[in-house]
Amino acid sequence: VYEALDAAMGHENPAARVERLKSFVADHGDHPARVNAISAIVTTMATDMNDPGGALSYIDGAIATEKDPGARAELLFRKFEHLWDSDRTGALAMAEEIAGGNETDFRLHLYLCYYLMGEDDCAGQAEKSFEKLLSLDIDPYRKAHAASVYAEFLSGRGRADEALAILEGAAGYPFAASIIGSRMLEIGEAEKAVEAYITYVSGVPGAANSVKLDSLYSAVHPGRGDLQERLAAGRLIDEGVLPDMDFSDLQGKTQRLSSFRGKKLVISAWSPT
């Protein structure tokens, strides 16, 4: 399936590429890769064929007919990305509509927040989008990640106390701990900063140098020499059986996690979001 998608996307003639991709969508309407094909159609029409209106019309039609909530959310985000580059006002209007609507996909709202939080002229909409994100009925890990990103946004705008209040509900989450550690250092609470950074580096091993944990730990706890043991202990997490879930394999077939019970299984989580 992915070879067929690559072949369609690699066609040099834009019009022919669009037709090949449309054929791919028609032939693989239930495969997750259809979203990639639709996105490529929109990019080709808007950029290579100079038809942004046609591109928006096409993706609006795809969104309207998409029945899978996850795929619909991804298409909405692809439309937002397209508008972000070509029509910032339209992108902000779309973000406001999504924040006030019934979409419940975590990644959709999170990614909108990522885009909005870095632009000063989008701060108001970013806050609305964060409020929507944190209102979703999501598991504790996603809630903690959302709180961490929101706290980063607030900290960047000089609202550190509000950021810490948000992080109270994300105790133990690595990225929340990194923000807490930074704030504790700012106010002279070095011991609390060390404890937060141990949580952070336990979850993100490559972060030790960036927060200078070795030297900070030595300054706060001279002579103890047990930092590596504490970090190793923090990386061993056993919270029992994973919750059951459905996922699509590379062939587009739906699998269920519980069907692998009793077998050795390696899960590669290349992106926690």
Side-chain angles (χ1 to χ4, degrees):
V1 173
Y2 284 99
E3 289 178 355
L5 176 60
D6 286 342
M9 293 178 68
H11 207 293
E12 292 185 4
N13 181 276
R17 187 188 316 147
V18 166
E19 291 308 311
R20 291 277 297 276
L21 287 166
K22 286 182 177 179
S23 295
F24 177 91
V25 173
D27 294 339
H28 303 90
D30 294 327
H31 195 284
R34 69 188 180 279
V35 174
N36 302 72
I38 292 168
S39 179
I41 291 170
V42 172
T43 299
T44 301
M45 292 179 69
T47 304
D48 298 331
M49 300 176 68
N50 195 29
D51 184 14
L56 283 175
S57 179
Y58 177 78
I59 198 168
D60 281 340
I63 292 169
T65 57
E66 181 57 63
K67 297 179 181 179
D68 179 78
R72 172 185 161 81
E74 192 165 353
L75 288 173
L76 283 168
F77 177 67
R78 300 293 178 96
K79 177 183 176 182
F80 172 83
E81 277 189 310
H82 171 71
L83 289 173
W84 184 263
D85 292 332
S86 61
D87 178 9
R88 184 64 60 89
T89 300
L92 288 173
M94 183 179 178
E96 184 168 9
E97 182 179 353
I98 291 173
N102 298 319
E103 298 294 335
T104 59
D105 186 87
F106 172 73
R107 289 193 302 173
L108 170 63
H109 293 285
L110 177 65
Y111 291 171
L112 292 182
C113 289
Y114 277 137
Y115 267 75
L116 296 165
M117 66 185 286
E119 303 292 333
D120 290 338
D121 61 336
C122 301
Q125 184 54 53
E127 194 136 11
K128 292 179 184 177
S129 294
F130 273 117
E131 289 171 0
K132 176 69 174 185
L133 176 65
L134 290 168
S135 74
L136 298 177
D137 183 16
I138 49 181
D139 62 76
Y141 291 102
R142 290 181 177 180
K143 182 74 77 173
H145 186 78
S148 300
V149 180
Y150 188 26
E152 182 182 351
F153 166 77
L154 293 172
S155 295
R157 278 155 181 76
R159 298 161 63 182
D161 291 339
E162 291 177 67
L164 287 176
I166 290 291
L167 291 173
E168 287 180 1
Y173 188 73
F175 293 104
S178 73
I179 300 170
I180 293 172
S182 297
R183 180 55 179 163
M184 291 301 101
L185 276 183
E186 288 175 1
I187 62 176
E189 296 281 357
E191 190 166 346
K192 291 181 180 179
V194 163
E195 295 307 309
Y197 281 150
I198 287 174
T199 299
Y200 175 42
V201 176
S202 293
V204 188
N209 290 335
S210 67
V211 297
K212 299 180 175 59
L213 181 56
D214 287 344
S215 57
L216 182 60
Y217 193 81
S218 296
V220 173
H221 301 296
R224 278 182 57 168
D226 62 345
L227 175 58
Q228 295 309 313
E229 288 80 1
R230 294 189 64 185
L231 291 173
R235 290 174 186 141
L236 297 175
I237 302 171
D238 184 357
E239 297 187 351
V241 178
L242 284 172
D244 207 7
M245 64 187 74
D246 291 332
F247 60 92
S248 296
D249 62 22
L250 291 177
Q251 286 69 47
K253 182 179 179 181
T254 299
Q255 304 281 359
R256 190 154 185 81
L257 185 60
S258 57
S259 67
F260 294 89
R261 186 159 292 144
K263 303 176 182 178
K264 292 181 178 179
L265 180 66
V266 176
I267 299 176
S268 176
W270 62 271
S271 171
T273 58

